[in-house]
């Protein structure tokens, strides 16, 4: 098993780093720890994380446990692992899964190239699963391959949007206080019902908080709590902060979290997660041209139009394509100005395939061609349709969604602007929905 | 102002009834009241509803108050009004909006043809807004145009998925107990922090519930509570059940609600609501043919393929189109087998425009044509592209999303099946995403 040095940068990874979309990269992670740690007067501790992932997902109303439900064809838990492993100072990530899902989980780790993950068998309740995860880190068990961390993070497999910032804050608070957890304001009033299902009393909303994840503990604090924990608590309890208080007499420090920490619980939460992920990977579009000339030509006009029409989207020129792929841009508009074939698009597709960029997210590629009615015979156009469908089928296997866009190129300036605007609208639609049912189509603007 | 007789059916509405997608129609509503009421030994009371809609939506992180945020281009509050007004036994719906949003709200009522709505000015807090709504129903105010109901429902403008069933249950419980409210299990543990932001204690999750909406009250119970309510409670309180308990000494009956009752609070909730609405209006596809022959032809083969490939979607034949429009099917596949022009599609579009079906939701129409390479010259095909783009632009103004689908029609049976399957995939994609950026395209299967 690989493990990076505590507080240092993680192991080298194939292709682009498996870091989050908004997170800092591994170097920045390490430095943000030092910066934050220095301010708080702490040294960087050895940190591990435990993820209970043994749930059955009954509230979702679907047969698949929610942590394995696909979002853009990738299981939810893989997004959560990605969020944790991009944080270089988390040394080990222990995931507790049921025996029947063990092979599925191994497949996920392999397919999405997750690192620093150890699997343990889940217990029948959440607390028993966490306890199993802690045992794997405790060094007092036979066959233990992991070393005991100073601080352990406990997080849910179904909270994929955890940021490094809040992880840093709970870990630092746990170092100081022994225990810490993220909280959020209550959305609804909490009430206490009487035995006959009538209102007994309602709680003052301002005086209470929802306890969310992540939480962090000095390892010895939470491990001792679990060792002393009654069978009743292991069976019916759900709150780790409560165990730290009851058995180790530690009052956890509470840390305000962001709304993104919410737990994927119902089907609507899966919808929300999918939309958030789609939005995040649609914030940058790279425009690649088949000419390096900087002169005014129709490709540049399209690029300008994209900048005007696509609000909140960063439009970049693909001059240093390797760098842009490394920076994890998931949308490419390949403009073929000079020729009417797919040479430039093919070159881009080859680079994308080599880069492994599409392992984690579907990459949208739109091959743009300009159509001058007078000069291109229709037969040739139909050949092109057929060609792009074959290309698209082939690259779909690598999670690349290829479409063609034919932009009508009239002589009149105003009509050209209208064509380009229409083209930008189609590009925006393809990037937003990322629907694999429409790959290989040649759209017309 | 129109108002239906209490417990009877609502006023006639233009075009299709503005009822919910899963709800019963007005007649069924009335009978479900009688059935339920009879079981519970109650007579049908006069019922009104009050919706506080004066919020600023600061938690959403967007400038538009969340109740006015668009979902499929229609403001959220319109979906909530639609859910309430489809319930025929709710006589009046009083909405409290701020002065600055009064004109916006009037515009929404007019555009989406909402009925039985009265507007009052919102107060600066939620409780003050509700109080203003109650005053409009109290008959003790000058210029009062509404009559006092026996039971009043209080609901949030930002909970669009309320079903008739739960409304019936809270109203019936309020008749018996004086007050009633929907509850849900807690998703997160609730904790009480100490002054220094540490954990003081955590609440046992099983012994508490989240108080949701709708709630219902005997009008006199809640109106008296508000009249006695302290300025402090009007300013800082949020829970009506608490006011009924504190000032009218009524212990509300608690009713288990469905997960769909959740409150649209954050941006992710808007995403979730949009996905749920899209899913609901995508559950039925009507296939219209330009031939009434029941023989085996390629149109029938496509219909069969749609039945096989579109899981969870009801595929119906458009033989009685008027009836299907009345039943609120929002997806049409118009198969042109006999001719290569748009005659049948045009006929369908005319019917849809006359029906007002697309006032509430965008309607997807896919005009399917079959392409025999050998017999159709390419020039003719290009003309068709241009034709459908013009049609699409025109009907988009009426909220109809028109696309074309050209299905390759080879002689070989296996290849034909492949074409039809590809066609079904494209149809599914267009219906699922309902993206207006792709209207007027001629897709190829």
């Amino acid at each position: 098993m690989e493990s990076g040095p505590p507080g240092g940068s993680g192991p080298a990874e194939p292709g682009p780093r498996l870091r989050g979309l908004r997170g800092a990269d591994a170097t920045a992670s390490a430095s943000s720890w030092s910066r934050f740690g220095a301010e708080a007067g702490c040294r960087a501790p050895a940190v591990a994380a435990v993820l209970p992932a043994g749930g059955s997902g009954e509230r979702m109303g679907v047969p698949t446990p929610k942590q394995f439900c696909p979002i853009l064809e990738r299981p939810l838990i893989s997004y959560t692992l990605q969020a944790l492993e991009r944080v270089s100072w988390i040394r080990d990530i222990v995931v507790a899964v049921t025996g029947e899902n063990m092979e599925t989980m191994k497949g996920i780790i392999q397919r999405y190239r997750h690192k620093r993950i150890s699997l343990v068998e889940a217990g029948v309740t959440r607390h028993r699963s966490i306890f199993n995860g802690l045992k794997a880190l405790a060094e007092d068990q036979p066959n233990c391959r992991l070393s005991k961390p100073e601080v352990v993070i406990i997080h849910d497999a179904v909270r994929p949007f955890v940021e490094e910032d809040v992880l840093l804050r709970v870990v630092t608070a746990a170092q100081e206080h022994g225990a810490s957890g993220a909280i959020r304001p209550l959305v609804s009033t909490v009430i206490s019902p009487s035995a006959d299902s009538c209102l007994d009393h309602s709680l003052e909303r301002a005086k209470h908080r929802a306890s969310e994840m992540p939480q962090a503990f000095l390892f010895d604090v939470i491990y001792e709590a679990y060792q002393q924990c009654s069978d009743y608590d292991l069976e019916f309890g759900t709150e780790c902060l409560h165990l730290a208080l009851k058995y180790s007499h530690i009052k956890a420090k509470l840390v305000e979290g962001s709304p993104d920490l919410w737990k994927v619980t119902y089907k609507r939460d899966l919808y929300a997660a999918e939309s958030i992920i789609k939005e995040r990977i649609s914030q940058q579009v790279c425009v690649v041209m088949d000419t390096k000339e900087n002169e005014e030509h129709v490709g540049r006009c399209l690029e300008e139009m994209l900048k005007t029409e696509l609000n909140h989207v960063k439009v970049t020129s693909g001059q240093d394509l390797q760098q842009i792929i490394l920076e994890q841009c998931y949308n490419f508009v390949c403009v073929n100005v000079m020729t009417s074939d797919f040479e430039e698009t093919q070159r881009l597709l080859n680079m994308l395939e080599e880069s492994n960029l599409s392992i984690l997210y579907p990459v949208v590629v739109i091959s743009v061609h300009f159509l001058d009615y007078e000069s291109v015979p229709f037969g040739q156009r139909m050949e092109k349709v057929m060609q792009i469908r074959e290309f698209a089928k082939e690259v779909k296997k690598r999670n690349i969604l290829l479409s063609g866009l034919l932009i009508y190129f009239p002589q009149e300036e105003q009509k050209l602007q209208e064509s380009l605007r229409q083209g930008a609208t189609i590009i925006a639609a393809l990037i937003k929905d990322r629907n694999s049912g429409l790959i290989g189509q040649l759209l017309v603007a």
Side-chain angles (χ1 to χ4, degrees), chain A residues 145-197:
Chain A
R145 298 170 309 135
L146 302 171
S147 57
K148 197 178 89 168
E150 183 184 342
V151 175
V152 63
I153 293 167
I154 297 177
H155 190 62
D156 282 327
V158 292
R159 300 189 195 247
F161 301 114
V162 59
E163 296 284 343
E164 179 173 5
D165 168 62
V166 73
L167 290 165
L168 199 55
R169 285 189 290 133
V170 291
V171 166
T172 313
Q175 265 192 295
E176 193 182 344
H177 296 265
S180 173
I183 54 167
R184 289 283 308 155
L186 293 174
V187 169
S188 305
T189 301
V190 173
I191 57 163
S192 175
S194 57
D196 59 346
S197 286

Side-chain angles (χ1 to χ4, degrees), chain A residues 48-302:
Chain A
V50 170
L51 261 80
S56 67
E58 56 195 33
R59 279 188 285 195
M60 191 79 85
V62 289
T64 310
K66 55 194 171 182
Q67 61 275 26
F68 296 116
C69 284
I71 297 183
L72 295 175
E73 299 182 12
R74 177 152 68 103
L76 179 57
I77 192 170
S78 168
Y79 292 90
T80 312
L81 293 179
Q82 183 192 355
L84 290 176
E85 72 192 349
R86 77 181 183 224
V87 178
S88 60
W89 45 264
I90 298 178
R91 201 175 53 185
D92 293 304
I93 301 166
V94 181
V95 183
V97 286
T98 59
E100 65 178 329
N101 288 318
M102 196 58 83
E103 285 310 308
T104 305
M105 194 62 223
K106 283 180 185 166
I108 291 168
I109 291 169
Q110 190 172 24
R111 176 159 181 193
Y112 301 107
R113 308 193 184 181
H114 293 302
K115 300 289 175 198
R116 286 137 55 200
I117 314 283
S118 302
L119 298 181
V120 298
E121 185 140 341
V124 290
T125 65
R126 176 181 158 82
H127 271 333
R128 290 191 194 278
S129 292
I130 295 170
F131 195 11
N132 288 355
L134 294 174
K135 281 178 193 162
L137 291 163
E139 287 184 351
D140 61 358
Q141 302 287 320
N143 305 322
C144 183
R145 298 170 309 135
L146 302 171
S147 57
K148 197 178 89 168
E150 183 184 342
V151 175
V152 63
I153 293 167
I154 297 177
H155 190 62
D156 282 327
V158 292
R159 300 189 195 247
F161 301 114
V162 59
E163 296 284 343
E164 179 173 5
D165 168 62
V166 73
L167 290 165
L168 199 55
R169 285 189 290 133
V170 291
V171 166
T172 313
Q175 265 192 295
E176 193 182 344
H177 296 265
S180 173
I183 54 167
R184 289 283 308 155
L186 293 174
V187 169
S188 305
T189 301
V190 173
I191 57 163
S192 175
S194 57
D196 59 346
S197 286
C198 284
L199 175 68
D200 187 77
H201 63 276
S202 60
L203 277 62
E204 218 175 308
R205 215 201 278 189
K207 290 194 178 159
H208 293 84
R209 294 285 181 280
S211 170
E212 308 287 343
M213 291 274 147
Q215 297 176 348
F217 303 87
L218 286 175
F219 184 83
D220 293 336
V221 164
I222 194 68
Y223 190 50
E224 278 168 36
Y226 271 100
Q227 283 175 309
Q228 295 167 38
C229 188
S230 71
D231 277 344
Y232 182 88
D233 279 343
L234 281 176
E235 208 62 35
F236 299 105
T238 52
E239 178 57 70
C240 303
L241 299 184
H242 173 70
L243 297 189
L245 180 62
K246 181 170 173 184
Y247 295 102
S248 303
H249 312 291
I250 297 286
K251 291 195 172 225
K253 181 71 179 177
L254 305 174
V255 166
E256 284 287 340
S258 77
D260 284 349
L261 287 179
W262 107 102
K263 175 161 64 170
V264 173
T265 307
Y266 300 107
K267 203 173 172 191
R268 68 166 188 265
D269 295 314
L270 274 183
Y271 289 144
E274 178 170 319
S275 297
I276 290 170
I277 291 166
K278 280 184 176 173
E279 191 189 47
R280 288 187 178 187
I281 59 178
S282 301
Q283 289 179 346
Q284 190 182 356
V285 179
C286 172
V287 182
V288 184
M289 308 267 179
D290 66 348
T291 164
K292 303 297 164 213
E293 285 173 39
N294 262 326
E295 290 161 42
E296 203 55 37
H297 55 70
V298 69
R300 292 263 169 270
C301 299
L302 178 64

